[in-house]
Amino acid sequence: MKAKYIYKCLMIAFAALLLGSCSSPEVDSKFDENATDRLSGRQKELNDLLLSSADGWKAVYYTDSTQLGGWTHLFKFLPGGKVDMASDFTGKDGEIDTKTYQSQYNIQLGSTVSLVFSTQNRIHLLSDANNYPTAALLAKGYLGDFQFYYYGEKDGNIIFRTNRNGHFLRFVKATPKDWTDLPGNVPMIKNITGDMNSPLFRLLEINDGTATKNYDFSYNASARFGTGYSIDPAVNTSYDLALSFNPGGVYSKLPLDVKGQKLTDFLYDAPTNSFVATGKDGVKATIKYTNAPPRLTDNYKVTLPAAGAPSTAYGYIAANLSAAPTNSQLCMYLLNEINNASVAKVNRVQFTFYNNRTVDIMYSFTGGKATVYHRATVTEDAVNKTIILKHSLWHNGTSVIAADALVKNLDDKLMDPKGLYVTRESFRITYSNTIYTFTCASSSFRITTYAFQ
């Protein structure tokens, strides 16, 4: 009993001591003070680091490499909470502003120490919810942050973790060359995005050292993200590339794995206007343009009604289809060229294919200009899966007339000697009519039409 009594007394005394320690204002104050001192020390450590690099810091910011590429940012931190910043972000208008802008930053104390870019600058373009690169990111923007949690220094780099999704972001010491090279990213961005005259289609060509396979490369210039889909319907393989840019080409954070070799650096080859990643033993991957659709179909046969069959018709209607995403830049340029030349505006461009292998291309206008027709013969190119239109005559519905000079540049594209690809699209616009596009085989011209049968 005595031993039990002594044991019980000891336990009561220990509990009282423990409770007294936990509730002691002196101990609580000392613990808080240590935590504050520790965070304050980290705050000073980060600020000193930011100011320590004479040429600032560089970060290639991938906000989410599963669906977005990367954006290069340069920061020069200055006393007084100021920062000079530049980036290669592409604006809504397609322009890329690499100029340097000054704003404010501060280092906040919370559960940890964080770097906050407190006034508007280039980094905020990635966090603007109203500016989003894909439909999936509606109201989410580019998933970017302007607050970064400090995790420490490693190998001379500053390591942060993003506030929004917890990804690590590394600030690397910048050099004078990084600042002068940044504008050099712009030509590479434009080379892979293309312009009005660039071919409409892209291929990802992969050579494993013994054989070459082609993939339809779908690239979103705003997201800087592309996916190569196997052209062979029997092969269910695709490759994602999350791209960032440099003056020599592009880098993919998602490696392209070819026979165990991980290809990430695609160098720009000016003579072929392509980006090439080269491995060992003949392994190579190339991103390149092509005028031919990667997947050829028999859709063109709808323009070849059999003898005795009704005619088929397909029409571009400006009021409904001028904003169709499948109209190419070149198509819109040529339509606007006509519209800006006089009071006449293109109302409709319509193909009517007859069962005797002829077609009437109708051009109708608002503004008082009469409708004109270009009649042509239709030849099937079964190998290349195109139709070739050859001039017969111009008419106004009742009489033969001279060629209409106003529509010449647009009409010349439809008379492409190499032919037109015809594609049945899977989407609809305003009405239930099936959408067909007509694409030149030798240029970037593509026009969107409704089917009228």
Side-chain angles (χ1 to χ4, degrees):
M1 287 291 292
K2 186 174 182 181
K4 287 184 179 180
Y5 177 78
I6 293 171
Y7 177 75
K8 184 181 290 186
C9 289
L10 286 172
M11 291 299 295
I12 292 170
F14 177 74
L17 179 63
L18 184 62
L19 289 170
S21 298
C22 290
S23 61
S24 168
E26 181 181 347
V27 173
D28 283 348
S29 175
K30 187 174 182 180
F31 181 83
D32 288 344
E33 183 181 357
N34 287 342
T36 302
D37 287 347
R38 185 166 59 251
L39 285 173
S40 295
R42 292 278 283 178
Q43 183 183 36
K44 183 179 185 305
E45 174 184 300
L46 174 56
N47 197 56
D48 288 346
L49 271 173
L50 294 175
L51 296 171
S52 68
S53 178
D55 297 298
W57 300 87
K58 176 181 177 179
V60 181
Y61 188 11
Y62 279 88
T63 58
D64 181 355
S65 59
T66 66
Q67 57 183 319
L68 295 167
W71 287 265
T72 299
H73 286 76
L74 295 170
F75 311 94
K76 178 69 173 71
F77 295 91
L78 306 167
K82 295 180 179 179
V83 57
D84 289 338
M85 192 185 307
S87 81
D88 66 355
F89 184 84
T90 306
K92 292 180 181 179
D93 57 0
E95 292 303 309
I96 305 163
D97 182 0
T98 59
K99 294 192 293 291
T100 301
Y101 296 89
Q102 190 169 96
S103 59
Q104 295 290 130
Y105 79 94
N106 59 62
I107 299 174
Q108 291 185 356
L109 296 181
S111 58
T112 186
V113 173
S114 62
L115 167 65
V116 179
F117 294 100
S118 50
T119 59
Q120 195 74 18
N121 209 323
R122 309 301 290 167
I123 197 76
H124 294 82
L125 295 170
L126 296 177
S127 60
D128 180 2
N130 294 317
N131 183 22
Y132 48 92
T134 67
L137 294 174
L138 174 66
K140 298 178 182 179
Y142 285 78
L143 303 178
D145 277 306
F146 50 86
Q147 179 176 20
F148 304 96
Y149 296 114
Y150 175 50
Y151 263 64
E153 180 188 11
K154 183 177 182 181
D155 301 326
N157 303 324
I158 308 176
I159 310 301
F160 294 98
R161 202 158 194 169
T162 60
N163 176 46
R164 194 166 182 173
N165 50 28
H167 293 167
F168 283 106
L169 179 65
R170 185 182 301 266
F171 278 27
V172 179
K173 279 190 176 181
T175 67
K177 190 173 184 296
D178 288 322
W179 291 89
T180 57
D181 276 357
L182 186 64
N185 293 6
V186 176
M188 295 300 116
I189 295 169
K190 292 186 175 181
N191 286 336
I192 202 166
T193 302
D195 58 24
M196 179 177 72
N197 295 305
S198 299
L200 294 176
F201 308 104
R202 295 180 184 86
L203 285 176
L204 175 62
E205 183 181 271
I206 300 177
N207 188 330
D208 65 4
T210 56
T212 298
K213 293 182 180 179
N214 288 324
Y215 297 79
D216 182 0
F217 189 62
S218 174
Y219 177 69
N220 183 316
S222 296
R224 298 188 178 180
F225 193 89
T227 301
Y229 300 94
S230 176
I231 292 174
D232 184 350
V235 178
N236 186 24
T237 304
S238 64
Y239 295 94
D240 290 333
L241 297 179
L243 303 182
S244 60
F245 295 86
N246 57 70
V250 300
Y251 167 84
S252 176
K253 189 171 184 180
L254 301 177
L256 186 61
D257 194 331
V258 184
K259 279 197 170 179
Q261 298 185 41
K262 298 187 182 301
L263 306 180
T264 57
D265 293 284
F266 290 76
L267 301 180
Y268 182 63
D269 181 57
T272 61
N273 191 28
S274 60
F275 292 83
V276 184
T278 305
K280 299 177 181 178
D281 303 320
V283 167
K284 184 169 68 172
T286 305
I287 301 169
K288 63 182 185 180
Y289 285 108
T290 173
N291 280 313
R295 294 181 178 87
L296 296 179
T297 71
D298 287 335
N299 291 165
Y300 73 95
K301 289 184 180 293
V302 297
T303 68
L304 305 169
S311 61
T312 59
Y314 307 86
Y316 165 84
I317 300 174
N320 304 108
L321 297 177
S322 61
T326 38
N327 293 325
S328 69
Q329 291 182 56
L330 179 56
C331 173
M332 297 314 300
Y333 173 83
L334 294 174
L335 286 167
N336 289 331
E337 183 180 62
I338 297 169
N339 293 338
N340 294 332
S342 71
V343 295
K345 312 298 179 189
V346 176
N347 176 54
R348 182 181 293 221
V349 179
Q350 180 168 311
F351 304 84
T352 302
F353 294 95
Y354 304 108
N355 58 23
N356 61 353
R357 298 294 175 96
T358 62
V359 60
D360 268 336
I361 306 172
M362 179 186 76
Y363 299 95
S364 67
F365 309 87
T366 59
K369 180 176 170 59
T371 299
V372 296
Y373 301 82
H374 190 180
R375 181 164 296 172
T377 60
V378 183
T379 303
E380 174 187 10
D381 182 344
V383 174
N384 295 306
K385 298 187 182 297
T386 61
I387 54 169
I388 300 171
L389 309 186
K390 293 184 179 179
H391 164 76
S392 291
L393 56 88
W394 286 83
H395 67 95
N396 61 10
T398 57
S399 306
V400 175
I401 60 173
D404 192 294
L406 186 63
V407 300
K408 181 183 185 306
N409 292 337
L410 175 62
D411 189 78
D412 283 349
K413 296 303 178 185
L414 302 180
M415 296 291 137
D416 187 339
K418 289 192 175 180
L420 300 173
Y421 297 105
V422 182
T423 303
R424 187 181 193 272
E425 304 291 352
S426 59
F427 57 87
R428 299 290 185 270
I429 298 176
T430 307
Y431 300 109
S432 60
N433 299 60
T434 302
I435 298 292
Y436 279 83
T437 54
F438 291 77
T439 305
C440 286
S442 65
S443 77
S444 60
F445 180 89
R446 179 172 58 201
I447 192 167
T448 307
T449 68
Y450 288 125
F452 294 129
Q453 61 281 329

